[in-house]
Amino acid sequence: MIFNKELGISEDDISVEDDLQTLAYWRDALNAQLTSILNRFDVDYSHQLPTSAKRAYRYIHTLERMAHKRYGTLRNDIAVANGYVYPSEMRKARHLASKFMEVSKRELPDYEYLRILQISKEELKAAREKNHN
């Protein structure tokens, strides 16, 4: 288990944390520690670090990546819970609707297709008016 003495956090703390502000603080603090290690040895990349510092850098980097990933996952979960729909899902739904209308036009009698089309337009209009009010 990786433990960061400076922040007093471990892998378990990050994996169970549900507060976005806390995760953002940990992520930023861990990132600052990584930058500090690089600056202390006056190098630009972690592979240039002395062997003694590489282990500490890797441990901190692992925690920072975990905090970053957990933060992103929580943000997505909150967005989806608030009604966000991923663009790919919207494209799939539009494609399905388009295909459905294409097949309906080809397979159904004209009067039935026109009736379904009219009902769909009315429901869309009602939904738009509801959203604008």
Side-chain angles (χ1 to χ4, degrees):
M1 177 183 315
I2 301 172
F3 183 79
N4 185 286
K5 291 179 185 176
E6 200 171 307
L7 293 174
I9 60 171
S10 67
E11 296 170 272
D12 295 336
D13 296 329
I14 292 172
S15 63
V16 298
E17 183 61 49
D18 288 332
D19 182 33
L20 285 176
Q21 289 179 333
T22 303
L23 285 168
Y25 171 74
W26 288 348
R27 182 193 61 200
D28 296 343
L30 289 165
N31 201 11
Q33 288 179 19
L34 293 173
T35 304
S36 172
I37 291 173
L38 292 176
N39 290 340
R40 188 176 327 134
F41 290 97
D42 197 30
V43 295
D44 294 327
Y45 304 103
S46 62
H47 69 274
Q48 298 170 328
L49 287 169
T51 307
S52 61
K54 279 185 182 178
R55 178 177 287 146
Y57 187 90
R58 273 188 261 139
Y59 287 158
I60 295 170
H61 185 263
T62 300
L63 288 176
E64 190 270 337
R65 295 298 351 154
M66 286 180 69
H68 185 81
K69 175 97 170 136
R70 180 76 176 143
Y71 180 85
T73 302
L74 281 178
R75 280 196 60 206
N76 285 342
D77 291 348
I78 290 169
V80 168
N82 288 333
Y84 176 78
V85 179
Y86 291 102
S88 60
E89 294 297 323
M90 289 174 27
R91 284 191 299 275
K92 287 178 189 174
R94 279 196 304 263
H95 184 68
L96 175 64
S98 170
K99 241 348 156 183
F100 176 77
M101 291 306 288
E102 182 181 312
V103 171
S104 297
K105 187 172 187 176
R106 184 178 63 231
E107 299 294 326
L108 294 174
D110 286 343
Y111 68 89
E112 191 67 27
Y113 171 76
L114 292 173
R115 186 180 72 78
I116 292 172
L117 184 62
Q118 185 63 34
I119 292 170
S120 300
K121 286 180 180 179
E122 289 170 2
E123 288 186 11
L124 275 174
K125 184 178 179 182
R128 283 188 191 135
E129 289 174 359
K130 181 181 176 184
N131 288 337
H132 287 295
N133 293 335

